[in-house]
Amino acid sequence: MSDFSTIYKLSVVAAVFCFVQVSSSSSVCPVLECWFVQDRVGRGGGLAGGTTQETSLLYVRRDAFGPSAESQQQHPSDVNPDRVYYVTDPDGTLCHPSLNPRRGSIHKPLCEVNPFLPQPSSLRWVASLTDSTFSPVYLQADWFSTAIHGLNQRLVVSSITRAPTAAKQHDVILTVSSQTVSLKSRLGEPLVLDCGFWVDPSSPLSRSGFAVEWRYQFRGDGRLVLAYDGKTDRVADEQEEGATLDFENLFKNRNVSLILQEAKVQHSGTYICSVYLPYVMAQVAMQLEVIKSPSVSIHPSPLPLAVPGQKLTVQCDVSGFVPLSLELSWEFKGADGTSRVLGSGRLTGHRQAWDGTYSQSSHLELDPSQLDLGRGGQLSCVAVHPAGTGRAAVTLNVIGFGVPSIEDSMALVGVALVLYGLIKFVSWTFSSSDEAEKQEKKEK
């Protein structure tokens, strides 16, 4: 019994040790390989002459005194030591698993670092943040803006970091992130575009409030969806109908996700979530696609009887779908079970309805003798669409086809026997009535 107790205790200790090891390994922050992009100074120190791009490494850690992954290893020889930075992120957003690929993986997050110049914003819903100025000494430092796209479209991050001039130790001051990098929503359903932010509480910038702005862009056109001044607790008058924020969640969890009460076709496009502090701003962009599967119908339905040599025109109407991409085709399944594609038919142009959805039609001309449709079968119209495949089917009956089948022959024999019996019955009836009349005449 004592041996069993000892084994039990050892197993518990081993399990706890493994748990600690796994927990500690999963909390290790990544080494981000980024492109450091900045303007190239033109000749004579005048206008910028394009941009330069260098490889940069960001060693991320949650605690300024804690280790970061591989921080003790020698830097690669092809990386300029001046472009190696140590970034402290107490919030841990930069330690997200989608930013930390497995060792040896060829797939890595996309990361770009740019020098950042703090300056006040001229937007009405941001201007209140810089009404009262504070000592500009805090702004006299090295500021960087970092944009990162995680693996598998799981996360997009934008962060503003600060370091004393020429120092290598950077602190995250503001982080904006979203986990809806690419989102599809069905037409008419409510949806949420995720966006959250974190501000360093020790930074003087955190004491003057914040502002949030949501903008929409599509093919060069843009509009303001919603803007909120957190310092004065005011929403901009230009707020789009049906768009709102969860204000309780905003102040409790720094969640500024955009809530759309009903997804419409005109909502498809790029959404930009921007968070402002005094003099600094970070933003993330996400793609939204509103989709709806097609409705399919065939006319006429049911189909009239088809005769070899006689052409029959069938129409397929596909409606209520979005986006525009659609593949239409006709399929025929014969009585013997074989299937084949009859092509796309004669297609019409796309038509757009009042709600922004599209419709399209196809006309198919059938000649049972030329298409070898046998005695008929099932005719289907198939609409393949990103939101789902739609299908409609009707039965096609062909009469007078070639040599009669056994079933047709038996049916003809049956009909002949019935007709023969009917004729005999009528003949017998008339002959009986004639004999009765003759008999009556004789009796008279």
Side-chain angles (χ1 to χ4, degrees):
M1 186 69 180
S2 176
D3 293 340
F4 177 78
S5 177
T6 302
I7 295 174
Y8 176 77
K9 291 179 180 179
L10 290 175
S11 63
V12 171
V13 172
V16 172
F17 178 78
C18 292
F19 176 78
V20 172
Q21 288 292 98
V22 171
S23 300
S24 61
S25 61
S26 62
S27 62
V28 172
C29 298
V31 178
L32 294 171
E33 298 181 20
C34 306
W35 288 111
F36 189 92
V37 182
Q38 64 179 336
D39 292 332
R40 181 188 292 115
V41 179
R43 293 182 178 179
L47 298 176
T51 59
T52 62
Q53 185 172 284
E54 301 177 76
T55 302
S56 177
L57 294 180
L58 305 184
Y59 287 88
V60 183
R61 54 191 175 187
R62 301 189 64 148
D63 185 351
F65 302 100
S68 61
E70 305 180 24
S71 59
Q72 303 301 322
Q73 294 188 9
Q74 186 177 2
H75 307 316
S77 58
D78 58 343
V79 178
N80 184 349
D82 292 337
R83 294 291 173 243
V84 178
Y85 303 98
Y86 297 90
V87 179
T88 302
D89 179 21
D91 180 57
T93 303
L94 299 182
C95 300
H96 192 275
S98 67
L99 307 183
N100 196 359
R102 294 180 179 179
R103 185 184 299 272
S105 174
I106 61 175
H107 301 288
K108 298 180 180 180
L110 302 177
C111 178
E112 181 175 314
V113 180
N114 304 92
F116 181 81
L117 178 62
Q119 55 186 337
S121 174
S122 59
L123 294 174
R124 288 187 293 106
W125 40 87
V126 184
S128 66
L129 302 182
T130 52
D131 283 346
S132 58
T133 59
F134 52 84
S135 174
V137 175
Y138 182 78
L139 301 180
Q140 296 175 4
D142 288 342
W143 294 81
F144 289 160
S145 172
T146 304
I148 313 172
H149 281 257
L151 300 174
N152 302 321
Q153 299 286 313
R154 292 175 56 192
L155 183 72
V156 59
V157 181
S158 177
S159 66
I160 302 297
T161 60
R162 177 191 180 277
T165 303
K168 305 295 288 292
Q169 309 288 342
H170 278 252
D171 295 321
V172 174
I173 305 301
L174 171 65
T175 298
V176 180
S177 63
S178 173
Q179 298 188 49
T180 53
V181 183
S182 180
L183 177 66
K184 291 185 178 182
S185 177
R186 295 200 172 271
L187 182 68
E189 295 183 354
L191 64 97
V192 177
L193 292 168
D194 176 67
C195 185
F197 72 99
W198 177 84
V199 180
D200 181 6
S202 65
S203 169
L205 301 182
S206 65
R207 305 166 192 168
S208 300
F210 65 92
V212 180
E213 179 190 68
W214 277 94
R215 297 196 69 86
Y216 168 87
Q217 288 185 351
F218 183 69
R219 296 179 179 176
D221 295 329
R223 66 176 184 265
L224 176 67
V225 179
L226 185 149
Y228 173 70
D229 181 352
K231 183 176 182 179
T232 62
D233 192 23
R234 294 185 59 184
V235 178
D237 297 334
E238 296 87 345
Q239 179 180 357
E240 186 174 301
E241 184 179 359
T244 186
L245 302 175
D246 183 350
F247 291 98
E248 182 180 352
N249 202 17
L250 187 157
F251 286 99
K252 184 178 180 180
N253 301 313
R254 300 291 190 180
N255 188 316
V256 291
S257 299
L258 179 66
I259 303 173
L260 297 178
Q261 295 178 359
E262 181 182 359
K264 300 179 180 179
V265 174
Q266 59 266 30
H267 288 155
S268 291
T270 302
Y271 284 80
I272 302 174
C273 173
S274 303
V275 177
Y276 294 83
L277 298 180
Y279 303 100
V280 300
M281 179 269 291
Q283 61 182 202
V284 293
M286 56 208 79
Q287 300 295 324
L288 170 64
E289 184 178 27
V290 179
I291 61 175
K292 187 178 184 298
S293 57
S295 298
V296 185
S297 60
I298 295 178
H299 306 283
S301 180
L303 295 178
L305 295 175
V307 179
Q310 179 183 359
K311 294 182 179 180
L312 175 65
T313 300
V314 187
Q315 178 176 325
C316 176
D317 293 326
V318 184
S319 60
F321 61 90
V322 69
L324 192 63
S325 56
L326 180 77
E327 294 183 9
L328 264 176
S329 63
W330 291 88
E331 295 179 359
F332 177 76
K333 184 176 182 180
D336 58 356
T338 58
S339 300
R340 56 195 175 101
V341 179
L342 302 180
S344 59
R346 180 167 50 87
L347 296 173
T348 65
H350 290 89
R351 304 175 296 275
Q352 192 168 22
W354 63 270
D355 61 352
T357 59
Y358 297 95
S359 61
Q360 190 177 24
S361 299
S362 172
H363 297 84
L364 181 67
E365 197 172 71
L366 292 174
D367 187 338
S369 58
Q370 292 185 1
L371 294 177
D372 189 23
L373 300 182
R375 293 182 293 109
Q378 188 179 67
L379 181 67
S380 301
C381 177
V382 182
V384 180
H385 187 265
T389 299
R391 178 186 295 267
V394 291
T395 300
L396 174 66
N397 292 312
V398 181
I399 61 175
F401 166 74
V403 179
S405 64
I406 296 177
E407 292 81 3
D408 292 339
S409 300
M410 294 179 64
L412 290 174
V413 170
V415 172
L417 291 175
V418 171
L419 290 175
Y420 176 76
L422 182 60
I423 293 172
K424 292 293 290 181
F425 176 76
V426 173
S427 175
W428 177 81
T429 302
F430 277 105
S431 62
S432 298
S433 60
D434 289 343
E435 291 179 359
E437 289 179 359
K438 291 180 181 179
Q439 186 66 29
E440 288 179 1
K441 288 179 181 181
K442 287 181 181 182
E443 291 178 354
K444 290 181 180 180

